[in-house]
Amino acid sequence: MQFMLLFSRQGKLRLQKWYVPLSDKEKKKITRELVQTVLARKPKMCSFLEWRDLKIVYKRYASLYFCCAIEDQDNELITLEIIHRYVELLDKYFGSVCELDIIFNFEKAYFILDEFLLGGEAQETSKKNVLKAIEQADLLQEFSCYSVRGRRKVMFSCQVQQ
């Protein structure tokens, strides 16, 4: 996978993950062009399209479009499954994910994506294992406390009373 974009029906970019090195100018150009292209397509049209030397695979869930660019030899159906798996992971974590969850918890959305995909390839196919890793990270974050003394931040672990 070259990149994944999440954008709204209004064309607002909500999340972007690039797995190939491109300049910011090129990323903006690609994003603008793809958002316009996908939004212009009718709902009954195929979710695959050829664009430049890539294949674009997209799927709309509620008010969000999930769009991936893959190599010409990659399988579109597997990419659709990857998109669906990511949406399932978001649903499990947020409890019926919506656009606002992505907007206000974008760092969690990125973290979930990074636990699932590595370098544009699925690193963990088990939803259970991905969710367990996310849960462990949440627990670690929850039990870490910060104390500010003067200008220094000191981190220490909280002791859980049993």
Side-chain angles (χ1 to χ4, degrees):
M1 184 180 303
Q2 302 271 317
F3 57 85
M4 179 185 275
L5 304 174
L6 271 68
F7 53 91
S8 69
R9 289 185 297 176
Q10 292 78 31
K12 300 270 190 201
L13 190 62
R14 299 301 183 200
L15 184 138
Q16 59 180 329
K17 186 70 175 184
W18 299 84
Y19 298 106
V20 291
L22 293 170
S23 69
D24 286 343
K25 186 178 179 181
E26 186 66 19
K27 288 178 185 178
K28 286 179 184 174
K29 182 181 175 191
I30 288 170
T31 301
R32 187 174 39 252
E33 192 176 325
L34 272 180
V35 167
Q36 289 174 351
T37 302
V38 170
L39 290 176
R41 293 174 63 87
K42 295 185 177 16
K44 299 278 185 186
M45 295 177 87
C46 180
S47 293
F48 313 140
L49 62 114
E50 302 224 353
W51 180 78
R52 295 185 183 182
D53 58 341
L54 299 171
K55 286 191 268 186
I56 304 301
V57 179
Y58 68 93
K59 180 82 172 135
R60 180 178 160 198
Y61 288 91
S63 65
L64 284 175
Y65 284 89
F66 292 72
C67 179
C68 295
I70 57 173
E71 302 284 327
D72 192 42
Q73 69 274 10
D74 290 339
N75 188 319
E76 302 94 338
L77 296 176
I78 290 175
T79 306
L80 265 181
E81 183 60 33
I82 287 172
I83 291 171
H84 186 69
R85 181 60 53 98
Y86 182 50
V87 171
E88 287 179 328
L89 288 166
L90 291 171
D91 264 346
K92 284 275 194 195
Y93 185 79
F94 291 111
S96 190
V97 69
C98 68
E99 187 175 350
L100 290 174
D101 291 322
I102 304 296
I103 293 169
F104 292 114
N105 299 294
F106 65 90
E107 65 283 337
K108 279 295 174 194
Y110 276 111
F111 185 77
I112 293 167
L113 185 61
D114 290 341
E115 282 297 319
F116 177 46
L117 297 178
L118 181 65
E121 302 285 333
Q123 75 167 342
E124 180 58 70
T125 56
S126 166
K127 281 188 288 188
K128 184 179 178 182
N129 289 347
V130 172
L131 290 168
K132 188 188 302 181
I134 295 163
E135 183 181 303
Q136 288 172 345
D138 283 349
L139 283 173
L140 184 63
Q141 184 178 8
E142 184 179 321
F143 293 118
S144 293
C145 298
Y146 292 93
S147 160
V148 179
R149 294 193 183 142
R151 293 186 176 171
R152 281 188 0 208
K153 281 189 179 178
V154 179
M155 187 176 131
F156 59 95
S157 296
C158 297
Q159 297 295 323
V160 180
Q161 299 279 330
Q162 289 188 2

